[in-house]
Amino acid sequence: MRQTKIVLPDSEIPKQWYNIMADMPNLPEPPLHPGTKQPVGPDDLSAIFPMSLIEQEVSQERWIDIPEEILDVYSLWRPTPLFRAHRLEEALGTPAKIYYKNEGVSPAGSHKPNTAVPQAWYNKQAGIKRIASETGAGQWGSSLALANGFFGLDTTVYMVRVSYEQKPYRRVLMETWGATVHASPTKITNAGKKILELDPDSPGSLGIAISEAVEDAATHDDTNYALGSVLNHVLLHQTVIGLEAKKQFEIAGEYPDVVIGCCGGGSNLAGTGFPFLQDKIAGKQVIVRAVEPISCPTLTKGEFRYDFGDTVGMTPLLKMYTLGHDFVPPGIHAGGLRYHADAPLLCQLYHDGIIEAESYGQTAVFDAAILFAKTEGIIPAPESSHAIKGAIDEALRAKEEGKEKVIFFNLSGHGHFDLAAYADYIAGKLTDYEYPADKIKESLAKLPQI
Ligand SMILES: Cc1ncc(COP(=O)(O)O)c(C=O)c1O
């Protein structure tokens, strides 16, 4: 019988996270204070983050220990299996070997709990009572609600309105784990009110929801803020994915030629790819590639400049590939990929030519999702389906070239709460949005000059 999945025992859960800052040829430029435009210090961040996470944000230690209590929670679903996609390979008739890590097996259904759990735990240690955050697709909000629940913290989630309407059951999931959920923009924060004055029908965006959550945290002493992607410590926590995968590839007796991940803010791609980039920086041949939507093409069409992390301009300025902080992407079903920029670490690596990026339209991505569902059985999240599309195209190129490549992608989540998107696809109602060039140009013109 052929081997389909490689499963590690609990004892193989990584005991340390990998910090790529120890190995990067060029570190990202420092975050700047939104008012003074000077580099931010720990005190600027301490109103909304615990000091332990601020330390991780700036640490250049290669390995950071994972506390025992976090490992205990990780063991509820980690290590996640590495699958060989035999049936997909057969359907494509490719000589390539396709492997994928299934992060959809976590209780919330995605990779997001890998960082929600440590963020909740470090906040609990710091005496915080409540965490406010944003969510796009609902994956991050549900992961934070789950994690906070484990450690007895309250959760307030600002959920992007378009997702709130498309995914009512994600909201119920968050509420089941104890969170309070608002459709963003709301009328309860100044940031939300400001947006609604300009556009009462605003579909919302991750940038707007972040402004609301940051304002909530900054104006309440017992409340902190948590971000589900972009920041260095978030990417750090996600490296458990790639570290496990390396052990699993060792068992398989393989090493990937190409590592692929979808890219919203960059955390699952970074978590999957960074441990392989450690080898690449040391001289090994491996390609790490981001896949993003054509309608929100941050790496492939954005500009590498300082921009705010949120829409209103409350967060520090970060050096990122950005489409402009007030750019509101079309309401594609991959809500988690509708972010105007990407993680500074990932952007620096892209700028330095260490990672690659490509973009696809929504219909092509769903064609890939359906093929995956029919061959491998799992209904993928629309976000993860971008990585599937990238892997399929890579496998088809390998077929043309007659090469037996090893392709590895991260299945960042399942799509059980995304069935409205699948219903649209089946009914032939899925629309492809063009690359919104004019709106992006307009938005980029408003960026601060640094
Ligand atoms: C399933 C899934 N994959 C990917 C992403 C994109 O985030 P990131 O690029 O930080 O991994 C999201 C975001 O919500 C998601 O829900």
Side-chain angles (χ1 to χ4, degrees):
M1 200 183 112
R2 65 191 181 183
Q3 178 142 28
T4 298
K5 54 189 181 309
I6 298 164
V7 184
L8 298 170
D10 287 10
S11 57
E12 291 289 345
I13 296 173
K15 306 296 179 300
Q16 293 176 311
W17 292 297
Y18 168 61
N19 181 7
I20 198 163
M21 283 204 273
D23 294 311
M24 286 170 77
N26 298 306
L27 289 174
E29 290 187 49
L32 304 180
H33 189 281
T36 64
K37 313 272 193 295
Q38 294 303 309
V40 292
D43 290 345
D44 296 314
L45 300 173
S46 63
I48 57 169
F49 293 115
M51 204 42 85
S52 43
L53 290 177
I54 297 172
E55 280 163 13
Q56 288 184 2
E57 191 63 19
V58 296
S59 170
Q60 290 179 29
E61 290 292 316
R62 182 169 291 111
W63 297 103
I64 293 179
D65 290 342
I66 307 178
E68 195 69 31
E69 292 89 336
I70 295 172
L71 291 172
D72 285 345
V73 180
Y74 275 174
S75 73
L76 292 172
W77 70 92
R78 304 212 72 83
T80 62
L82 179 75
F83 281 80
R84 169 91 185 266
H86 288 295
R87 289 170 188 277
L88 177 62
E89 289 168 19
E90 282 156 15
L92 297 172
T94 178
K97 296 175 186 169
I98 306 176
Y99 288 88
Y100 64 94
K101 190 93 165 128
N102 184 5
E103 290 297 307
V105 300
S106 81
S110 78
H111 64 298
K112 299 277 178 181
N114 297 333
T115 182
V117 171
Q119 291 198 54
W121 187 80
Y122 287 113
N123 272 293
K124 177 74 179 179
Q125 298 305 302
I128 288 297
K129 300 276 181 284
R130 179 172 72 98
I131 299 183
S133 194
E134 72 293 329
T135 198
Q139 293 272 18
W140 168 242
S142 46
S143 303
L144 189 65
L146 168 83
N148 281 350
F150 283 138
F151 301 118
L153 294 168
D154 293 334
T155 313
T156 305
V157 178
Y158 295 85
M159 183 173 190
V160 175
R161 182 176 297 279
V162 59
S163 296
Y164 186 92
E165 282 156 11
Q166 276 172 356
K167 298 177 186 186
Y169 294 120
R170 273 271 163 210
R171 173 170 55 80
V172 178
L173 196 62
M174 289 186 258
E175 289 170 347
T176 304
W177 281 319
T180 304
V181 186
H182 304 292
S184 165
T186 70
K187 289 185 180 145
I188 52 180
T189 66
N190 290 328
K193 281 185 221 156
K194 205 167 142 185
I195 299 289
L196 287 174
E197 267 165 34
L198 294 172
D199 178 7
D201 298 323
S202 169
S205 70
L206 271 178
I208 295 170
I210 294 173
S211 297
E212 295 208 86
V214 169
E215 181 181 325
D216 183 340
T219 50
H220 294 93
D221 281 348
D222 64 351
T223 303
N224 263 350
Y225 169 70
L227 189 59
S229 188
V230 178
L231 297 179
N232 302 350
H233 66 269
V234 179
L235 275 54
L236 173 83
H237 300 154
Q238 291 294 353
T239 58
V240 287
I241 305 172
L243 292 168
E244 284 176 9
K246 280 176 93 170
K247 291 187 193 174
Q248 288 161 314
F249 272 109
E250 236 175 82
I251 294 171
E254 308 268 17
Y255 193 91
D257 295 299
V258 191
V259 179
I260 296 171
C262 67
C263 188
S267 73
N268 89 91
L269 170 71
T272 310
F274 282 3
F276 292 94
L277 287 183
Q278 184 188 12
D279 299 343
K280 183 177 173 110
I281 293 165
K284 199 162 175 92
Q285 291 281 339
V286 52
I287 290 171
V288 175
R289 186 178 298 139
V291 186
E292 52 186 25
I294 280 181
S295 54
C296 191
T298 40
L299 289 173
T300 48
K301 301 270 192 192
E303 289 183 9
F304 191 42
R305 342 187 359 188
Y306 271 106
D307 195 5
F308 297 105
D310 67 324
T311 301
V312 173
M314 295 164 67
T315 69
L317 289 153
L318 302 172
K319 184 84 180 279
M320 310 181 278
Y321 280 87
T322 179
L323 302 172
H325 58 275
D326 71 350
F327 168 65
V328 178
I332 53 166
H333 285 287
L337 305 188
R338 293 176 70 246
Y339 186 60
H340 66 275
D342 281 313
L345 284 175
L346 209 66
C347 291
Q348 186 65 47
L349 290 162
Y350 183 66
H351 185 70
D352 290 341
I354 295 172
I355 64 164
E356 298 180 358
E358 63 184 2
S359 63
Y360 290 107
Q362 174 161 263
T363 318
V365 164
F366 270 84
D367 288 339
I370 300 286
L371 177 62
F372 186 76
K374 287 186 173 163
T375 51
E376 294 297 310
I378 299 170
I379 296 182
E383 292 83 4
S384 320
S385 304
H386 286 71
I388 296 174
K389 172 67 179 158
I392 288 177
D393 277 14
E394 186 67 40
L396 292 175
R397 279 195 292 274
K399 181 178 172 177
E400 267 170 34
E401 295 164 6
K403 283 194 185 145
E404 208 188 80
K405 274 188 195 161
V406 178
I407 300 166
F408 169 42
F409 74 88
N410 186 40
L411 184 72
S412 54
H414 68 64
H416 295 181
F417 292 93
D418 300 286
L419 295 181
Y422 283 88
D424 275 0
Y425 180 91
I426 292 161
K429 287 198 285 190
L430 209 64
T431 27
D432 253 333
Y433 296 93
E434 285 303 305
Y435 161 57
D438 290 348
K439 278 176 77 183
I440 292 172
K441 200 169 156 203
E442 212 177 283
S443 192
L444 283 171
K446 289 182 237 157
L447 288 199
Q449 295 297 333
I450 306 289

